[in-house]
Amino acid sequence: MSNHHFISYSRIEANDFALKLCDDLKAGPPTMRAWIDVREIKPGRDWDEEISEAIKTCETFLFVMTPDSVRANSQCKNEWASALKYKKAVIPILWHPDAETPFRLGSRQHIDFTDNYDSALARLRQHLQSLNSPAGILEMLRDRLADAERDLPRAANATERARIEADLNELRRQITEQQWIVEHPEEAARRVEKSIANALERERQPAQPVSGITRTKFINPPPGLTPSYFQNRHSETGLIGDFVKNEAQRVLTIVGRGGIGKTAVICRLLKSLERGHLPEDGGPLSVDGIVYLSATGSRRVNLPNFFSDVCELLPDEPAEKLDTLFRDPNVSTDAKVEALLAAFPQSRVIVLLDNFEDVVNPETLGIADGELAEALPALLKAPHHGVKVILTTRIAPRDLALIEPGRQMRLNLDEGLPSPFAENILRAMDADGKVGLKSASDALLDTSRQRTRGYPRALEALFAILSADRDTSLEELLADTARMLPDNVVRDLVGEAFSRLDPAAQRVMQALAIYGRPVTPAAVDYLLQPFLAGVNSAPVLGRLVNMQFARKESGRYYLHPVDLAYALARIDRGNEFDHRFEPVPLTQFALLHRAADYFQKTRSPRETWKKLDDLAPQLAEFDLRYAAHDFDTAATVVLEIDFDYLLLWGHFRLMAGLHERLRGKLDDRDLEQSSIGNLGTAYYQLGRVREAINCYERALFLARKAGNRQSEGIWLNWLANCYANLGQTRRALEFYEQALTIARDIGDRSGEGRHLGNLANCYSALGQTSRAIDFYDQALAIARDIGDRSSEGRHLGNLANRYSDLGQTSRTIDFYEQALAIARDIGDRSGEGYWLHNLADIFADEGQHRRAVEYASDALAISGEIQAPRLGSYAGGSLARAHLLAGQLADARTAAEAARLRDAPENNFYIFALGGVIALRLGDPSAAKQILAAAVTEASGMLQANSENYEALDSKALALCGLALCEEAGRAADAIESYRAARKINCDPGIVKRILQHFDALAVLDRGNTLAGVRTAAAGDV
């Protein structure tokens, strides 16, 4: 139990009174938490530790004064002295008239229970309720000031006097501020409101690009500015330096417990490298760039940040091209990473991923972030490049260590700093000598090193305790730490340091813990506004930084992970509905809701959302709503950004991850329908089609249950897309037809046109060209009727494809040119590229090879410009075919090889078959055999999904013909079988003409009549 009222009493003289007081406080009204040892300490628990913890976590300390409890050697004295040390509000309660208030508590007004119990209880209740008011806070500050003023003349030495004087100055500043708040409550409230409003307005402003600024080689602030007092780690620093110099090694993993100094040692080295040399006279070493990312900092560890920040090291043009590539949904993570790395062939670039344990699954030890789980192996496997990654983590990712182990290095930080470096750090932190470390004896500092095990964060916590508590000497502190277990020393010292902070500083640290990310003082003020009237956290945050409690980065403050965990644990969890109460209780759930509200208010205008960074407030709000178990509101947050932004920008894994967290947690069925359906769309884009089908089926069930016909049509359409993707064309037809019926029933003209076009695609895939044309005509009419130019162009192009199949060349060219004109008019570069490549095929069919090469080259250039590998595959195939038919074999081979690198699964079988034919024509049977075998494999894979894929059957047959000419004559019979199967599905004249062109280009090599009868089968002749 925390935030309770601790009752200290003499069991000899006040047992019954203390129990009655405890019961009455709990009974209310209002109900108050009271802690008494005989009720709270369970059998078998350590009595002293339980009492100590209860005092640390109490809100107030109620000292029942009787003759026994006020004795100099009473246990109660140890308890109230501890309460003063932890800056608790100590309230003397007079139960026995002969008890005298202890000297150190003399400035505090007692509550007299010797006369009228009920009246005294009422006064006590009123006093306890007032303590968190501005006047109550002022009273506690004055009590502490009186304590300090009483102690100043009794200071034992100059060091102690300096500590008391520093405390007095700070208390006087706080009292002046608090006095003003008490006297001017309305003005204080307006001041806070205005400060927060101004800060929110600044947060909402989009970052303005600054012109004329030279690019820096060092991206983002380091996650931890290494203090000047940091020392040693010579051997570790040398090993890291060796890693940076070793061109063969690419990933360094620094593993160690929290607080051991992983971030400090690497940031120290990297900051030195920014100046062009290794630390500690390690010699010159230049780097071309350093990128800092941290799971606890403002720039989080994920692939989008990794990619965009590394791109910052490049000139504008290649950086923009890579950014376009990253957004392309058709490009795999491997391909994106390889393209990025290829931009740094000889450079030396270091990327720090700090606190990497946040993206490691502690149970499986695998990387939980799917994109990083693909990106880091790709970095290890890629051809030579100059990018190195350094991970600092408490948990080493096991799977990553198994990939290219020769290119990795692991550095374990198991030990703290040895002597004299730990002692030197303690002295250096106490620069002004106020806490007694600078002048402490070697023996005391040696004991300090041993107790802290030399862990840097434990050393800082030791300094923080002495900074926060002027009443504790180093000797006393070391005596207290003697009972701490070595393995828990960092956590325990951090907890002890936190407990000695004043209440306001504790609240500020807890606010930082709730946010869990770097935030401004205004964010802290907003969170604490209902609990601290006139709150002004900026000076408190400054003190916390100086006392080694908080970190600062670009005007924002955050906590070390160990401090964060402890500060959070000191807030009652509460319940999920706390934010609905008035007044709002100070619980984790209530604070999480309010922190989420803050980020909701910091959103920039929608028109400024251009990249993932612009959605940082929404992503932070989602995390906080989720942590608060407000899953429905979290769903509304992600649904606002997923389809039109995350999906559009290619952040499919992020979109999927957000919706996966909500799965099975939503109460609102409409939200569940949208969330599970959009999860399916993310899966679909990721190629996880079977999982997408499961999601769409659930969304469809919910839509039908709710009677939402429009949504029903949407999910039917997506299900059809999935089955079409799997090659199950007839099943896709069923779903498209159902969606079309719904669109017509509800008057959804746009949906009707979309479904008609999809049905046409299915009939085309089945070889039913005339039926496909009929549906395209209907879809085209609707697009023109509703003014949908994009769909109009798409339907015109598809009509051109079908007329091409029928061999109606002039009509085909006319439709393609109309589609091309629309694409150019509306700026659809992708559509422009596709219609250019299709026109190239038509001109190649007609023997206009020069024109075909020109159009295919233009399409290929567009694919590179917009980083569209699928378009590049098709355009490259068109260019290769045009060169082949023109007899330009070397150019044909170059184009085919380039197209093969684009890796478009639905076109790979054709590109491989075409490349094999070209290799044979060039007299390279060894290469041809390998490429043709790959074509057969690719085509067979597609046919497993859809046995009616006549394009795959034709490409497989062509590849089998090529293998037959490579001394595998038996393959000719297989080719005949494959061609016959294709012609049963589609024997349109344009298709047959093109198939025969490919066959004839290969058959010129058939001097032994190996392919006898194959052409007849390819032509569809019986």
Side-chain angles (χ1 to χ4, degrees):
M1 180 188 294
S2 61
N3 297 329
H4 51 265
H5 306 292
F6 183 100
I7 300 176
S8 175
Y9 65 104
S10 166
R11 194 175 298 177
I12 299 172
E13 297 174 338
N15 190 70
D16 292 342
F17 169 80
L19 289 171
K20 178 175 173 55
L21 179 63
C22 179
D23 291 339
D24 288 342
L25 287 173
K26 288 181 179 179
T31 299
M32 294 180 171
R33 292 178 173 182
W35 193 100
I36 191 166
D37 50 13
V38 294
R39 295 265 179 83
E40 301 293 342
I41 301 178
K42 303 295 186 292
R45 303 298 294 269
D46 187 297
W47 198 269
D48 290 338
E49 286 189 6
E50 292 287 313
I51 289 176
S52 177
E53 185 64 21
I55 294 173
K56 284 182 187 179
T57 58
C58 75
E59 184 175 347
T60 59
F61 183 93
L62 309 181
F63 174 41
V64 180
M65 294 192 298
T66 63
D68 182 63
S69 69
V70 299
R71 284 188 300 108
N73 58 351
S74 167
Q75 175 61 31
C76 292
K77 179 182 179 180
N78 295 332
E79 293 174 354
W80 60 253
S82 181
L84 290 178
K85 177 173 64 177
Y86 294 124
K87 299 178 178 61
K88 303 300 179 182
V90 177
I91 303 173
I93 292 176
L94 184 62
W95 171 235
H96 195 287
D98 294 335
E100 294 184 4
T101 304
F103 176 75
R104 290 185 63 191
L105 302 179
S107 61
R108 289 161 175 81
Q109 183 63 45
H110 67 257
I111 295 179
D112 191 347
F113 273 79
T114 62
D115 184 16
N116 187 315
Y117 177 90
D118 291 336
S119 176
L121 179 63
R123 289 198 302 275
L124 176 61
R125 284 185 184 283
Q126 184 180 16
H127 185 59
L128 292 176
Q129 287 180 283
S130 71
L131 285 177
N132 287 324
S133 69
I137 294 171
L138 179 60
E139 181 181 345
M140 286 188 285
L141 288 171
R142 285 172 171 166
D143 285 341
R144 289 175 52 205
L145 179 66
D147 292 342
E149 288 175 337
R150 183 205 65 235
D151 292 341
L152 183 61
R154 296 170 177 79
N157 50 52
T159 298
E160 186 177 337
R161 184 176 184 85
R163 294 174 71 183
I164 297 172
E165 287 175 342
D167 207 10
L168 282 168
N169 291 335
E170 177 59 28
L171 284 167
R172 287 167 182 153
R173 185 197 67 78
Q174 292 182 40
I175 287 171
T176 300
E177 174 74 9
Q178 193 65 27
Q179 181 72 48
W180 185 85
I181 293 171
V182 170
E183 294 174 353
H184 306 88
E186 294 181 358
E187 190 175 344
R190 285 195 298 271
R191 183 184 68 177
V192 176
E193 289 285 357
K194 183 178 180 180
S195 173
I196 293 172
N198 291 339
L200 285 170
E201 185 59 34
R202 288 192 297 272
E203 293 274 20
R204 283 190 288 264
Q205 295 302 314
Q208 296 296 320
V210 181
S211 59
I213 300 296
T214 305
R215 284 182 178 273
T216 177
K217 296 199 300 181
F218 313 113
I219 311 301
N220 308 322
L225 291 174
T226 307
S228 58
Y229 54 72
F230 187 85
Q231 298 187 16
N232 193 239
R233 299 295 190 196
H234 300 303
S235 60
E236 293 89 346
T237 298
L239 290 170
I240 298 170
D242 292 342
F243 164 79
V244 174
K245 296 178 203 175
N246 190 336
E247 294 184 1
Q249 291 186 316
R250 298 178 178 179
V251 173
L252 167 64
T253 303
I254 304 176
V255 186
R257 66 174 68 239
I260 203 167
K262 303 181 295 296
T263 301
V265 69
I266 190 60
C267 286
R268 177 172 178 249
L269 181 137
L270 293 180
K271 288 303 291 182
S272 185
L273 287 181
E274 288 186 15
R275 297 186 292 271
H277 59 84
L278 288 167
E280 300 167 356
D281 299 324
L285 183 61
S286 63
V287 293
D288 297 283
I290 300 173
V291 175
Y292 297 96
L293 299 174
S294 173
T296 61
S298 56
R299 200 64 178 159
R300 297 294 174 111
V301 174
N302 56 47
L303 184 59
N305 287 344
F306 180 110
F307 200 95
S308 64
D309 289 357
V310 173
C311 282
E312 286 289 317
L313 299 170
L314 295 169
D316 289 342
E317 185 175 351
E320 289 171 2
K321 287 184 177 180
L322 284 167
D323 179 64
T324 304
L325 173 71
F326 187 81
R327 294 167 182 260
D328 193 325
N330 298 308
V331 183
S332 67
T333 299
D334 286 5
K336 292 174 182 177
V337 172
E338 287 185 15
L340 176 67
L341 300 174
F344 299 92
Q346 302 298 329
S347 305
R348 180 180 284 138
V349 172
I350 301 172
V351 182
L352 172 63
L353 306 182
D354 191 45
N355 291 112
F356 195 76
E357 67 272 359
D358 277 24
V359 294
V360 176
N361 185 318
E363 296 179 359
T364 65
L365 302 185
I367 299 175
D369 184 303
E371 287 183 314
L372 285 174
E374 294 180 2
L376 291 176
L379 180 138
L380 287 164
K381 296 176 181 177
H384 179 77
H385 60 82
V387 178
K388 292 175 176 287
V389 171
I390 299 176
L391 316 177
T392 68
T393 181
R394 284 175 283 170
I395 307 171
R398 183 171 54 195
D399 293 345
L400 182 65
L402 303 176
I403 299 168
E404 298 287 344
R407 291 180 169 177
Q408 298 195 58
M409 174 180 168
R410 173 166 170 162
L411 177 60
N412 294 321
L413 285 186
D414 299 319
E415 301 295 332
L417 297 174
S419 182
F421 304 105
E423 295 91 326
N424 290 344
I425 282 182
L426 289 171
R427 287 195 173 101
M429 280 191 288
D430 186 21
D432 56 10
K434 286 182 181 178
V435 302
L437 290 171
K438 190 172 185 179
S439 58
S441 67
D442 291 343
L444 272 179
L445 292 182
D446 180 64
T447 304
S448 301
R449 176 188 58 80
Q450 294 178 45
R451 292 285 164 76
T452 60
R453 301 187 71 180
Y455 295 158
R457 183 63 196 130
L459 294 168
E460 290 176 340
L462 200 71
F463 169 77
I465 293 170
L466 295 172
S467 298
D469 180 14
R470 60 178 174 78
D471 292 325
T472 298
S473 66
L474 180 58
E475 294 91 334
E476 292 170 331
L477 180 55
L478 292 176
D480 289 343
T481 61
R483 57 181 170 78
M484 293 182 181
L485 296 175
D487 287 343
N488 300 331
V489 66
V490 175
R491 183 198 65 192
D492 290 348
L493 281 172
V494 162
E496 188 68 23
F498 176 92
S499 299
R500 301 197 189 208
L501 287 171
D502 61 86
Q506 289 187 3
R507 290 286 181 257
V508 168
M509 281 195 68
Q510 288 171 331
L512 294 178
I514 287 289
Y515 280 115
R517 51 184 40 79
V519 291
T520 63
V524 175
D525 291 348
Y526 179 88
L527 190 59
L528 297 180
Q529 189 180 16
F531 313 103
L532 291 175
V535 60
N536 179 20
S537 64
V540 181
L541 287 164
R543 280 196 295 129
L544 290 173
V545 170
N546 292 335
M547 295 163 66
Q548 307 300 326
F549 282 100
R551 272 57 172 149
K552 184 179 181 181
E553 174 192 302
S554 302
R556 296 174 188 269
Y557 298 83
Y558 65 102
L559 300 179
H560 186 282
V562 179
D563 298 70
L564 187 152
Y566 187 86
L568 195 62
R570 285 285 297 271
I571 310 172
D572 280 353
R573 184 71 171 151
N575 68 71
E576 298 171 15
F577 307 107
D578 281 347
H579 64 290
R580 300 179 183 175
F581 294 114
E582 187 62 41
V584 177
L586 199 149
T587 65
Q588 287 190 33
F589 278 113
L591 290 171
L592 287 166
H593 275 284
R594 188 164 177 82
D597 290 343
Y598 175 79
F599 280 111
Q600 184 183 48
K601 294 175 183 294
T602 65
R603 296 182 187 181
S604 59
R606 184 180 293 269
E607 60 270 17
T608 67
W609 300 354
K610 306 296 183 184
K611 57 186 184 303
L612 191 62
D613 286 350
D614 300 326
L615 302 180
Q618 287 91 328
L619 296 174
E621 182 188 351
F622 175 90
D623 286 340
L624 292 162
R625 301 281 185 209
Y626 185 89
H629 292 187
D630 187 2
F631 302 120
D632 283 4
T633 306
T636 64
V637 173
V638 70
L639 287 169
E640 189 177 2
I641 62 173
D642 62 348
F643 207 85
D644 293 331
Y645 299 97
L646 298 180
L647 192 72
L648 183 66
W649 298 340
H651 299 298
F652 309 131
R653 289 191 184 277
L654 175 58
M655 177 177 167
L658 295 171
H659 284 298
E660 283 171 343
R661 291 166 66 183
L662 296 171
R663 199 167 187 175
K665 293 184 171 68
L666 299 176
D667 294 324
D668 186 304
R669 288 292 166 257
D670 289 337
L671 287 174
E672 182 189 358
Q673 179 201 141
S674 298
S675 179
I676 196 72
N678 286 3
L679 174 59
T681 303
Y683 283 153
Y684 180 84
Q685 297 293 347
L686 290 167
R688 296 159 63 175
V689 181
R690 298 288 182 186
E691 293 171 88
I693 288 173
N694 292 335
C695 293
Y696 290 138
E697 286 176 343
R698 174 63 179 170
L700 180 61
F701 168 79
L702 292 170
R704 285 172 170 166
K705 189 174 181 180
N708 188 332
R709 299 214 73 200
Q710 184 169 11
S711 293
E712 181 183 358
I714 290 172
W715 307 129
L716 283 167
N717 181 74
W718 276 109
L719 274 170
N721 291 342
C722 288
Y723 285 114
N725 181 281
L726 293 173
Q728 299 181 34
T729 308
R730 296 195 182 278
R731 194 165 187 188
L733 275 172
E734 295 175 12
F735 286 112
Y736 283 135
E737 286 169 350
Q738 292 179 52
L740 177 62
T741 299
I742 290 173
R744 285 172 169 167
D745 286 348
I746 65 176
D748 179 7
R749 295 280 282 161
S750 177
E752 180 183 0
R754 180 171 59 254
H755 302 321
L756 284 166
N758 287 331
L759 281 166
N761 293 337
C762 287
Y763 285 121
S764 174
L766 293 172
Q768 300 181 33
T769 306
S770 297
R771 196 168 186 184
I773 287 174
D774 178 49
F775 279 104
Y776 282 133
D777 281 334
Q778 295 180 56
L780 178 62
I782 291 173
R784 284 173 170 167
D785 188 42
I786 65 176
D788 185 351
R789 300 216 70 204
S790 177
S791 295
E792 180 185 359
R794 185 170 63 254
H795 297 321
L796 283 166
N798 285 329
L799 276 167
N801 291 336
R802 301 295 73 79
Y803 285 118
S804 172
D805 294 346
L806 294 174
Q808 299 183 27
T809 305
S810 61
R811 201 167 189 182
T812 299
I813 292 173
D814 178 49
F815 278 117
Y816 276 142
E817 288 179 341
Q818 290 184 58
L820 181 62
I822 289 174
R824 285 172 170 166
D825 189 41
I826 66 175
D828 178 8
R829 296 289 279 161
S830 176
E832 181 182 358
Y834 276 108
W835 309 137
L836 282 169
H837 112 74
N838 283 323
L839 278 166
D841 284 339
I842 295 300
F843 290 126
D845 290 345
E846 297 302 306
Q848 299 183 42
H849 302 306
R850 181 177 297 177
R851 199 169 183 186
V853 168
E854 177 188 343
Y855 276 66
S857 298
D858 288 347
L860 195 59
I862 290 173
S863 76
E865 178 186 326
I866 65 174
Q867 295 294 321
R870 183 174 180 273
L871 172 60
S873 173
Y874 282 95
S878 297
L879 183 60
R881 176 169 172 265
H883 282 308
L884 171 64
L885 296 180
Q888 299 162 353
L889 299 179
D891 291 336
R893 185 174 202 171
T894 299
E897 289 176 348
R900 195 164 72 240
L901 294 175
R902 278 7 185 235
D903 189 24
E906 70 275 27
N907 197 45
N908 281 345
F909 53 78
Y910 170 69
I911 295 298
F912 278 114
L914 182 64
V917 170
I918 295 168
L920 275 177
R921 288 284 300 272
L922 283 168
D924 190 354
S926 177
K929 190 172 182 178
Q930 182 178 357
I931 298 170
L932 292 167
V936 172
T937 300
E938 291 280 344
S940 297
M942 295 298 290
L943 290 166
Q944 284 181 353
N946 180 11
S947 61
E948 297 179 293
N949 187 331
Y950 63 87
E951 293 178 331
L953 285 166
D954 282 323
S955 291
K956 181 178 180 181
L958 180 63
L960 289 168
C961 289
L963 289 172
L965 297 180
C966 295
E967 300 179 357
E968 297 183 25
R971 296 291 193 129
D974 296 333
I976 290 173
E977 181 181 347
S978 190
Y979 273 133
R980 284 176 176 167
R983 295 294 73 77
K984 286 180 181 179
I985 300 167
N986 189 312
C987 58
D988 289 338
I991 296 291
V992 172
K993 177 182 179 181
R994 193 163 297 165
I995 293 306
L996 293 179
Q997 283 182 333
H998 286 98
F999 177 83
D1000 291 341
L1002 176 66
V1004 297
L1005 301 175
D1006 185 19
R1007 298 179 180 85
N1009 207 27
T1010 302
L1011 302 180
V1014 177
R1015 195 178 195 280
T1016 300
D1021 298 333
V1022 180

